[in-house]
Amino acid sequence: TRTTRPQRLLKAVQDRAIRGNPKSVISVIDHYCRNQEWAMNVGDEKGFILDSVVSELNPQTVLELGTYCGYSAVRIGRLLHSGARLLTLEFNPDYAAVAREVISWAGLENTVQLVEGASGDWIPRLREHFGIHTFDFIFLDHWKEGYLADIKLLEECRLLRKGTVLLADNVVCPGAPDYLEYVRKSPLYDSRYFKSHLEYTKAEDGLEKSVYLG
Ligand SMILES: C[S@@+](CC[C@H](N)C(=O)[O-])C[C@H]1O[C@@H](n2cnc3c(N)ncnc32)[C@H](O)[C@@H]1O
Ligand SMILES: O=C(c1ccccc1)c1ccc(O)c(O)c1[N+](=O)[O-]
Ligand SMILES: [Mg+2]
């Protein structure tokens, strides 16, 4: 039977990237997705903005919503200092299986923990299950219609603190209009748009960075 797109992306990583070298895993994936087949990773252009937000913040506890093949988990994980941890949620078991291999190939299995399941089910259980108090940084990149419900759930579960930074992908393409309206109008957030392009294309897209004011 035919392989899947994530399986073909994983094969490219295993064939071309240097084991234990996150930078080479990232560049192999970007080259593959730009030249062979497009995939919905945050990509190199928006990835550079993601890198600068993470590097400036130097977070200890990070949550990612939507792992897919693990590209952004490797992008974020490689920048975390010792003791810092990334928890990434993925509810598609086939994608999760590929992501585990990619994260392991990058040598980040001790920094990045993939949790299989839906964000709506897991967010209320993160504190008791992983002993997490609050998150320093959250990357939203799952289905766009889920962004608003999940930010409200994170508030309800008191997993945000003064200064928590939320970065949302695709606020223009495919778009998350209800999420954008909420973070831009709410007095709880200080929000800013970083204009960019949809990964590996010329279409406009961007990232919304929102600081929780508590
Ligand atoms: C755009 S992809 C993630 C890309 C990844 N962040 C990157 O940049 O490499 C979106 C992923 O979110 C997952 N997803 C969508 N809704 C979810 C939810 N409610 N809980 C967990 N995973 C979800 C999908 O299965 C898909 O793999
Ligand atoms: O929704 C899509 C999508 C829609 C249609 C076809 C392919 C992908 C998408 C496109 C770019 C993204 O960066 C992204 O995160 C997503 N996503 O699924 O979450
Ligand atoms: Mg995205």
Side-chain angles (χ1 to χ4, degrees), residues 12-104:
V13 167
Q14 292 168 332
D15 289 352
R16 306 175 194 175
I18 303 156
R19 247 196 184 288
N21 183 326
K23 195 165 175 288
S24 88
V25 168
I26 290 162
S27 58
V28 162
I29 292 173
D30 283 328
H31 187 275
Y32 180 76
C33 294
R34 190 176 290 283
N35 300 295
Q36 267 139 299
E37 59 177 335
W38 186 92
M40 58 183 169
N41 319 116
V42 69
D44 47 356
E45 191 181 319
K46 289 185 289 178
F48 185 78
I49 300 166
L50 170 62
D51 288 357
S52 55
V53 170
V54 172
S55 300
E56 186 190 341
L57 198 62
N58 185 20
Q60 286 301 309
T61 55
V62 181
L63 176 66
E64 172 179 74
L65 304 179
T67 319
Y68 190 44
C69 297
Y71 172 89
S72 55
V74 168
R75 261 209 105 103
I76 296 167
R78 87 189 198 284
L79 299 175
L80 299 185
H81 292 185
S82 72
R85 292 286 175 274
L86 163 63
L87 213 56
T88 181
L89 306 184
E90 173 55 58
F91 68 179
N92 180 309
D94 301 323
Y95 296 165
V98 165
R100 290 187 199 282
E101 294 299 321
V102 169
I103 291 160
S104 161

Side-chain angles (χ1 to χ4, degrees), residues 31-211:
H31 187 275
Y32 180 76
C33 294
R34 190 176 290 283
N35 300 295
Q36 267 139 299
E37 59 177 335
W38 186 92
M40 58 183 169
N41 319 116
V42 69
D44 47 356
E45 191 181 319
K46 289 185 289 178
F48 185 78
I49 300 166
L50 170 62
D51 288 357
S52 55
V53 170
V54 172
S55 300
E56 186 190 341
L57 198 62
N58 185 20
Q60 286 301 309
T61 55
V62 181
L63 176 66
E64 172 179 74
L65 304 179
T67 319
Y68 190 44
C69 297
Y71 172 89
S72 55
V74 168
R75 261 209 105 103
I76 296 167
R78 87 189 198 284
L79 299 175
L80 299 185
H81 292 185
S82 72
R85 292 286 175 274
L86 163 63
L87 213 56
T88 181
L89 306 184
E90 173 55 58
F91 68 179
N92 180 309
D94 301 323
Y95 296 165
V98 165
R100 290 187 199 282
E101 294 299 321
V102 169
I103 291 160
S104 161
W105 197 271
L108 291 169
E109 60 276 11
N110 296 329
T111 303
V112 177
Q113 178 161 11
L114 192 156
V115 178
E116 212 167 306
S119 53
D121 298 338
W122 268 106
I123 288 170
R125 293 161 54 198
L126 293 176
R127 180 171 288 108
E128 40 124 5
H129 208 273
F130 296 99
I132 285 156
H133 186 53
T134 55
F135 287 105
D136 301 326
F137 178 67
I138 298 170
F139 182 49
L140 295 91
D141 192 24
H142 54 332
W143 295 163
K144 311 315 154 193
E145 59 270 15
Y147 282 17
L148 182 56
D150 281 349
I151 192 172
K152 287 184 173 175
L153 186 56
L154 285 160
E155 288 171 14
E156 277 163 40
C157 297
R158 306 181 62 73
L159 287 164
L160 308 179
R161 50 106 177 140
K162 278 186 190 356
T164 295
V165 170
L166 296 101
L167 191 66
D169 190 25
N170 312 114
V171 293
V172 164
C173 178
D178 57 346
Y179 173 84
L180 267 193
E181 186 190 9
Y182 179 71
V183 289
R184 288 176 176 173
K185 278 189 179 165
S186 167
L188 287 173
Y189 297 91
D190 181 24
S191 227
R192 189 198 145 180
Y193 176 61
F194 290 79
K195 184 176 166 149
S196 184
H197 296 94
L198 178 70
E199 50 267 23
Y200 318 117
T201 79
K202 292 185 170 18
E204 186 187 335
D205 187 22
L207 301 160
E208 187 80 0
K209 178 187 175 187
S210 307
V211 183

